[in-house]
Amino acid sequence: MTVAVDFRNVDIVFGSDQAGSLALIDSGASRAEILEKTGNVLGCAGASLTVHEGEISVLMGLSGSGKSTLLRAVNRLNVVSRGQVLVKDGDKTVDVVTCDEATLRRLRQKQVAMVFQQFGLLPWRTVEENVGLGLELAGVPEAERKERVHRQLKLVNLDQWAKKYAHELSGGMQQRVGLARAFATEAPILLMDEPFSALDPLIRTKLQDELLQLQAELKKTIIFVSHDLEEALKIGSHITIMEGGRIVQTGAPEDIVLRPANDYVRDFIANVNPLSVLTAWNVMRDRRDLDHGEDGWVWLDRRKTTRFKIDEHGLVVAAERNGKPAVWVSCADVEAHPEETAQVFWANPGTSLKTVMFAMYRSQTAPVALFDDQSRFVGAIGVRDVLSAVLRR
Ligand SMILES: Nc1ncnc2c1ncn2[C@@H]1O[C@H](COP(=O)(O)OP(=O)(O)OP(=O)(O)O)[C@@H](O)[C@H]1O
């Protein structure tokens, strides 16, 4: 995987006593202590985070935790006090902290685009003129500019609105213009600072869906600031949780939900429904950890109600439930099957836990088997595995 942005031990201090503040950071001082002793504000401290190409990396945390500060280091809207911010620039890597002004200007025009919370549209310009602003500043000729602007407006379904002014559009539409403006630069890296938080919940959900659809096609690298964990879990490939200027945890959504690093993260996830993020993979027991009997038989559950006979290729050749022969059926077909005990449902590791639970419900709590892409048996999920994941125990 190619690295698009690499934050290495980034400290950002707002104020004039940089040396004094950095020494305090090194001694582990909190933001409040640094403020008291130096009068400076700690933006972020010791932040290390690697963002790979094509992922949506979400920075999450309470207000003032340092998310925007870190984000704005990527295009040097914030000056880094110490550390490196390495940004992929074609075949090279540029340290934004130390690069010269000309390189920075080129990065801002071609590599890194930004989408703001308050849309940041110029009211005296039409939609198309707003979308084309970055291209105009970069000196892109008019004909090419027009073509690129219209392509982007079409992408966000606003081509009919090209000649309107920002105030004639709803909030959701204005933010789509903001997205189109960022896309128009064709920059591979997008910085999004709470882009949807000024919108009402329904529009917000819709724009999140649209962003995911666009991302599936455009495959940008997106660093996205949010203070809403539901949003982070929905759109993030990785989530980084910040507290008081410091990163407290980075991981895939399910890592955060299953293994919160401290009480701060635990408080965040307290109201998250684990079913919205967990997959079969997160809760299964590996086949090696199951009870193996004779002749290739493996028990799928601790209660020993269900077992499979597995051949030397890892394929299932026979199944038994409550001592009687059973068939194995995909979870995807659960609705099509009559409720009966002589069947065992199977899923893939990527199947949602919700689907697995429904299959369990339909089979009087029988365990669910897991098969890989080649139909080999890889593990099983029993009721207890589900309960412990849902109860986070
Ligand atoms: N330009 C600045 N000058 C001085 N202090 C700043 C500046 N920008 C941010 N700060 C301070 O740095 C700290 C982190 O702010 P930051 O905006 O990064 O937090 P955040 O997590 O993005 O919060 P929010 O969700 O409220 O935007 C805050 O205490 C803030 O007041």
Side-chain angles (χ1 to χ4, degrees), residues 133-196:
L133 182 65
L135 304 181
E136 216 174 299
L137 294 175
V140 175
E142 192 180 344
E144 181 187 340
R145 208 165 67 215
K146 279 211 152 129
E147 189 272 320
R148 276 164 70 174
V149 164
H150 281 271
R151 193 153 25 98
Q152 301 310 327
L153 281 175
K154 226 175 155 64
L155 207 59
V156 296
N157 280 324
L158 281 181
D159 40 334
Q160 309 284 324
W161 295 76
K163 305 280 183 221
K164 302 280 185 207
Y165 288 88
H167 70 268
E168 298 178 89
L169 274 63
S170 69
M173 289 161 112
Q174 289 188 46
Q175 192 53 302
R176 284 214 208 95
V177 177
L179 277 177
R181 181 180 51 192
F183 291 153
T185 64
E186 288 170 12
I189 300 170
L190 289 189
L191 309 180
M192 305 184 79
D193 196 353
E194 306 221 21
F196 306 142

Side-chain angles (χ1 to χ4, degrees), residues 185-246:
T185 64
E186 288 170 12
I189 300 170
L190 289 189
L191 309 180
M192 305 184 79
D193 196 353
E194 306 221 21
F196 306 142
S197 55
L199 305 172
D200 65 53
L202 272 181
I203 301 293
R204 182 178 183 156
T205 308
K206 192 155 182 286
L207 278 180
Q208 289 164 353
D209 293 338
E210 284 179 21
L211 177 68
L212 287 175
Q213 273 168 18
L214 287 168
Q215 170 66 355
E217 200 178 312
L218 301 173
K219 300 193 171 55
K220 304 269 185 189
T221 303
I222 300 179
I223 310 182
F224 189 110
V225 165
S226 177
H227 61 258
D228 174 2
L229 187 61
E230 291 283 344
E231 178 170 78
L233 294 172
K234 176 172 173 184
I235 68 162
S237 355
H238 277 90
I239 298 176
T240 296
I241 310 237
M242 299 188 70
E243 179 188 17
R246 290 178 162 95

Side-chain angles (χ1 to χ4, degrees), residues 13-68:
V13 177
F14 299 103
S16 53
D17 186 5
Q18 295 278 317
S21 300
L22 291 175
L24 285 167
I25 288 175
D26 290 339
S27 69
S30 68
R31 174 181 285 154
E33 287 163 338
I34 293 172
L35 184 63
E36 192 194 311
K37 291 191 178 142
T38 64
N40 290 358
V41 177
L42 174 68
C44 67
S48 290
L49 172 66
T50 303
V51 181
H52 292 102
E53 252 179 6
E55 78 177 15
I56 304 185
S57 184
V58 180
L59 304 178
M60 255 271 315
L62 296 177
S63 182
S65 56
K67 320 177 283 289
S68 303

Side-chain angles (χ1 to χ4, degrees), residues 321-340:
R321 173 126 171 83
N322 297 327
K324 295 196 197 111
V327 291
W328 50 105
V329 180
S330 167
C331 272
D333 302 328
V334 72
E335 301 273 15
H337 280 261
E339 281 187 58
E340 49 177 75

